[in-house]
Amino acid sequence: MHLTIALNGQLLEIPEFLGTVPSSPTFGGCFYQIHNHDFSGKLHIESPTPVNYVLGSFFKIWGQPLTRTNVAGITSTPIVFYVTEADGTTTVYDGDPGAIALTSHRLITIQIGTPLTEIPNFTWAGD
């Protein structure tokens, strides 16, 4: 899935390597089952068994709040959550943002402040 956070029309970077524990001389490193590799916003779920993860789980790994009024510490401005399904259908999500299901090729856009003129798209390569 892919996560976009836009603040007043500017796309924010999501830190790279969230959910990654680096290797050391005495430890080989590991990944949380939900993680990312770079600043692209693409999230990975790698689990030995099928698990239903939600956006709130990723924000907990990140160590940031996720509510209808606080996204990663950004508050005091209107926040709108959009979910775009793999078939291109986009809807406004009005429930608990922490409960947004992380599903294959789903795009989650969090608009903070100034409304977006269009929902950003993510091109899946090799997925």
Side-chain angles (χ1 to χ4, degrees):
M1 72 283 332
H2 185 269
L3 175 63
T4 298
I5 301 174
L7 175 61
N8 294 321
Q10 298 295 314
L11 302 183
L12 303 180
E13 281 188 343
I14 296 165
E16 63 183 345
F17 303 121
L18 295 173
T20 301
V21 180
S23 62
S24 71
T26 59
F27 177 69
C30 67
F31 293 102
Y32 284 73
Q33 290 179 357
I34 305 171
H35 61 274
N36 70 357
H37 295 276
D38 54 31
F39 297 108
S40 71
K42 184 177 176 182
L43 309 182
H44 300 263
I45 293 179
E46 297 174 28
S47 173
T49 59
V51 179
N52 296 320
Y53 284 109
V54 293
L55 188 58
S57 299
F58 182 72
F59 272 75
K60 285 180 183 173
I61 291 168
W62 185 2
Q64 295 294 329
L66 177 65
T67 68
R68 297 211 56 80
T69 59
N70 185 342
V71 173
I74 303 169
T75 60
S76 303
T77 188
I79 300 172
V80 180
F81 297 86
Y82 295 95
V83 175
T84 304
E85 302 300 344
D87 68 3
T89 304
T90 300
T91 57
V92 173
Y93 185 86
D94 288 325
D96 172 6
I100 296 173
L102 301 181
T103 60
S104 182
H105 293 160
R106 176 176 268 182
L107 309 178
I108 301 167
T109 302
I110 303 173
Q111 170 194 289
I112 306 170
T114 307
L116 293 166
T117 56
E118 68 180 82
I119 302 299
N121 192 15
F122 181 77
T123 302
W124 301 100
D127 294 318

